[in-house]
């Protein structure tokens, strides 16, 4: 249980750092947020819990393929905000788009030999 609390605290600190930095420096906050810190931490936690090279390789490869459908959200949200849409609607639309693209990836990916 202590290990879980340590993982959660460290992960939470990263999110808090991003939001704090982004208040003053939006571009630098975005840079920190775009770093694959969560993925790297996730791989470290996974390796600690299950040091299996094949499992880690599958995880890292699947992460790559799931990053791709999340990217359009970062174009839709600013486009909607600049067009006058409220923040919460823009965020909801971005999340809905990402969910739809994730579903499409899980449906289409295996048809092209991707192991997700």
């Amino acid at each position: 249980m202590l290990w879980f609390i340590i993982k959660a605290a460290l992960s939470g600190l990263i999110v808090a750092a991003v939001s704090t930095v982004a208040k003053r420096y939006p571009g630098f906050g975005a840079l920190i947020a775009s770093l694959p810190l969560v993925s790297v931490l996730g791989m470290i936690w996974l390796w600690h819990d299950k040091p299996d090279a094949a499992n880690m390789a599958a995880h890292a490869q699947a992460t790559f393929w799931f990053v791709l459908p999340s990217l359009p959200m970062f174009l839709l949200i600013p486009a909607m905000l600049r067009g006058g849409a409220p923040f919460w609607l823009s965020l909801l639309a971005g999340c809905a788009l990402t969910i739809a693209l994730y579903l499409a990836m899980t449906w289409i990916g295996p048809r092209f030999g991707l192991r997700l």
Side-chain angles (χ1 to χ4, degrees), residues 49-116:
D49 295 340
K50 184 180 180 183
D52 176 351
N55 186 55
M56 182 59 68
H59 171 77
Q61 186 171 4
T63 299
F64 170 80
W65 289 109
F66 280 117
V67 163
L68 297 178
S70 71
L71 295 177
M73 174 180 75
F74 298 104
L75 297 175
L76 179 62
I77 292 173
M80 289 182 68
L81 291 171
R82 288 187 181 110
F87 167 75
W88 293 109
L89 177 62
S90 302
L91 183 62
L92 180 65
C95 291
L97 174 63
T98 300
I99 291 167
L101 293 174
Y102 281 160
L103 291 171
M105 177 65 82
T106 59
W107 183 69
I108 295 169
R111 295 168 190 252
F112 289 95
L114 297 178
R115 297 184 65 204
L116 303 173

Side-chain angles (χ1 to χ4, degrees), residues 12-30:
L13 283 172
I14 292 170
V15 172
V18 167
S19 66
T20 301
V21 169
K23 281 190 272 186
R24 182 150 185 171
Y25 306 104
F28 191 56

